Amino acid sequence: MMKPRLIIFDEPMLYTEGLSKLLRQSKIFNTVDICNSPEALSEQLTVETPEFLMISSNIVILTEIYKLVEDIITHYKDTKIIIIGNGYDITDIRRLFDKGIKSYLDRNSSYDEFLKSIQALLLDETYLCEYVKEKMLDFMSQKQGRGKFQMRDSLTKREVEILKLICDELSSKDISEKLFISINTVETHRKRILSKLNVKNSIGVVRYAMENHMID
């Protein structure tokens, strides 16, 4: 299988050159190119469309990122876009996913988490960084504690516990071992959670929470 190509649209050059060197050493990508201007990015996309494109908030503001993502998805629909945000709120992140991005990391995300997001995208999955997941879960817990967290059918205490573990990317087997319950029981809880939220998977849980303003 041919290794994917990556374009990094970011600055300063010292940072991007260091990141590109690390990524080349990881041998995940066939090529890693750097662009530090919209003109350079446009030229690179035209010459050889990459499978992955990382766009940083260091180089364009959020409103420009929205438009850029729209334009790229329109002309290069197979390019998977990763956004490196700058403390964006949940509604902004939701809008970015609605525009077509596949991964969101924040400025405090580690290099290891960047690699983790790449692995998710290689499996045709979407990725949301741990920082945003924690922010979402904290909000949900606070609402639950105050009795103000509502959905079509309220989650039980156990379901909220399992939901958090699902968001931590634990498998049913891992959850069963952690909570000392059977895998069948975990699967039953999982199905009930998805049913109550009216979603198909854990990504759907995140999107449901965003769309219904459960998280700030």
Side-chain angles (χ1 to χ4, degrees), residues 80 102-103 117 119-127 169 203:
K80 296 178 180 179
K102 296 298 183 183
S103 174
S117 76
Q119 293 298 334
L121 267 56
L122 287 170
L123 296 173
D124 290 324
E125 299 172 355
T126 55
Y127 188 86
E169 301 183 4
I203 294 299

Side-chain angles (χ1 to χ4, degrees), residues 84-173:
I84 311 295
N86 187 15
Y88 297 152
D89 63 36
I90 296 300
T91 55
D92 294 330
I93 297 169
R94 174 175 60 87
R95 188 176 177 191
L96 285 167
F97 276 100
D98 288 343
K99 295 288 184 184
I101 74 167
K102 296 298 183 183
S103 174
Y104 178 86
L105 301 171
D106 210 77
R107 58 187 175 182
N108 55 8
S109 297
S110 65
Y111 175 71
D112 285 343
E113 189 166 27
F114 178 81
L115 293 182
K116 192 176 180 181
S117 76
I118 294 297
Q119 293 298 334
L121 267 56
L122 287 170
L123 296 173
D124 290 324
E125 299 172 355
T126 55
Y127 188 86
L128 189 64
C129 69
E130 296 299 327
Y131 166 76
V132 175
K133 285 182 183 177
E134 286 298 322
K135 190 175 181 181
M136 181 190 73
L137 290 173
D138 286 345
F139 181 87
M140 291 170 69
S141 296
Q142 290 169 12
K143 292 294 185 183
Q144 182 78 16
R146 293 198 295 265
K148 295 180 181 178
F149 180 71
Q150 296 180 345
M151 54 183 67
R152 292 172 188 174
D153 293 300
S154 296
L155 296 179
T156 65
K157 184 177 179 180
R158 175 64 93 182
E159 286 166 351
V160 170
E161 187 176 17
I162 290 175
L163 172 62
K164 291 179 181 180
L165 296 176
I166 292 172
C167 289
D168 286 337
E169 301 183 4
L170 269 67
S171 67
S172 293
K173 182 176 183 294

Side-chain angles (χ1 to χ4, degrees), residues 8 13-14 48 59-60 71 79 93 97 139 156 177 209 216:
I8 300 173
M13 288 300 292
L14 181 62
E48 190 171 14
I59 199 164
V60 279
D71 290 344
T79 295
I93 297 169
F97 276 100
F139 181 87
T156 65
E177 293 174 353
D216 294 328

Side-chain angles (χ1 to χ4, degrees), residues 50-68:
E51 285 80 11
F52 293 86
L53 169 62
M54 188 191 91
I55 301 173
S56 171
S57 56
N58 289 333
I59 199 164
V60 279
I61 62 175
L62 181 58
T63 53
E64 292 175 347
I65 290 177
Y66 289 144
K67 186 176 186 306
L68 184 58

